[in-house]
Amino acid sequence: MKGFHFGPWPIRPNEIFFTSKLSIGLVNLKPIVPGHVLVVPRRIVLRFADLTSDEVSDMFLSAQAIGKVIEREYGGESLTITLQDGPKAGQTVPHVHVHVIPRKTGDWANNDDIYPEIDRKEKELAGELKAPKGVDNEERPPRTQEDMGREAEQLRKHFQQYEDIWN
Ligand code: AMP
């Protein structure tokens, strides 16, 4: 398959802020907080167990490097780093990915309330992607390409890139 994909979704280079040999970092279409980003293996693989050891290593080293920048740039004090491995564990996009989410004091009243929030946003997104354009939704719609592009462009500056996919 040509270009980058996140499961079935084609991903434009301007949504990508990080490249390593076997992974990419992309900004989120529906972040639960600013700075909620995703680390994805380049190869489209459904489950964690399907990754090679090189891919596991590259993905988590990437998540570590990305987490450092995300925590600092979004004024975080901690990080939630999570992987929902399979649909029964809440995985909605059929392509392994690690969520990197900056955390700060008081962001959720109970620390683990972040997990139902991840679930809620994903259900919302699934509804929005199915709904015809213009349908009213009380919640915020997914972000625009421009908004995602701006965030990725800012973040890109903080990383040494494996590959220049933007020029
Ligand atoms: P999960 O439920 O663990 O599979 O997480 C899916 C994540 O991917 C959620 O945070 C979604 O907001 C995000 N997402 C879904 N589709 C896209 C897309 N096309 N581009 C960027 N992020 C996406």
Side-chain angles (χ1 to χ4, degrees):
M1 211 180 294
K2 266 192 142 188
F4 296 93
H5 282 78
F6 180 32
W9 311 110
I11 298 295
R12 295 179 181 83
N14 80 338
E15 296 165 51
I16 296 171
F17 64 88
F18 172 91
T19 56
S20 65
K21 186 173 176 202
L22 300 175
S23 312
I24 56 170
L26 49 128
V27 296
N28 200 318
L29 183 58
K30 187 102 182 175
I32 60 168
V33 288
H36 173 193
V37 298
L38 303 170
V39 188
V40 182
R42 288 179 184 241
R43 194 164 65 96
I44 303 180
V45 161
L46 178 60
R47 297 290 307 276
F48 187 54
D50 301 329
L51 295 173
T52 65
S53 45
D54 282 350
E55 284 172 324
V56 170
S57 165
D58 186 289
M59 183 175 76
F60 277 105
L61 288 170
S62 300
Q64 185 186 47
I66 289 169
K68 282 182 196 164
V69 169
I70 288 294
E71 184 171 331
R72 188 185 70 222
E73 291 303 304
Y74 290 86
E77 300 160 77
S78 297
L79 291 168
T80 291
I81 296 176
T82 188
L83 190 167
Q84 312 206 94
D85 186 25
K88 301 295 170 207
Q91 182 184 3
T92 57
V93 178
H95 185 162
V96 179
H97 52 281
V98 175
H99 296 253
V100 178
I101 308 170
R103 301 295 308 267
K104 41 183 104 163
T105 310
D107 51 4
W108 275 274
N110 299 304
N111 189 43
D112 287 350
D113 286 352
I114 189 170
Y115 298 106
E117 180 67 4
I118 293 174
D119 232 38
R120 196 179 68 76
K121 283 274 188 217
E122 281 154 5
K123 291 204 175 94
E124 237 175 70
L125 179 59
E128 286 157 3
L129 293 176
K130 273 188 217 126
K133 271 202 173 133
V135 165
D136 272 354
N137 191 321
E138 279 177 36
E139 299 287 345
R140 211 158 36 82
R143 307 158 78 192
T144 63
Q145 271 297 316
E146 292 69 31
D147 189 21
M148 293 171 81
R150 269 193 298 276
E151 184 184 26
E153 191 179 3
Q154 283 310 311
L155 283 175
R156 208 173 293 151
K157 298 174 187 159
H158 299 282
F159 299 99
Q160 195 176 347
Q161 304 292 346
Y162 176 79
E163 184 190 359
D164 183 359
I165 57 170
W166 302 279
N167 293 304

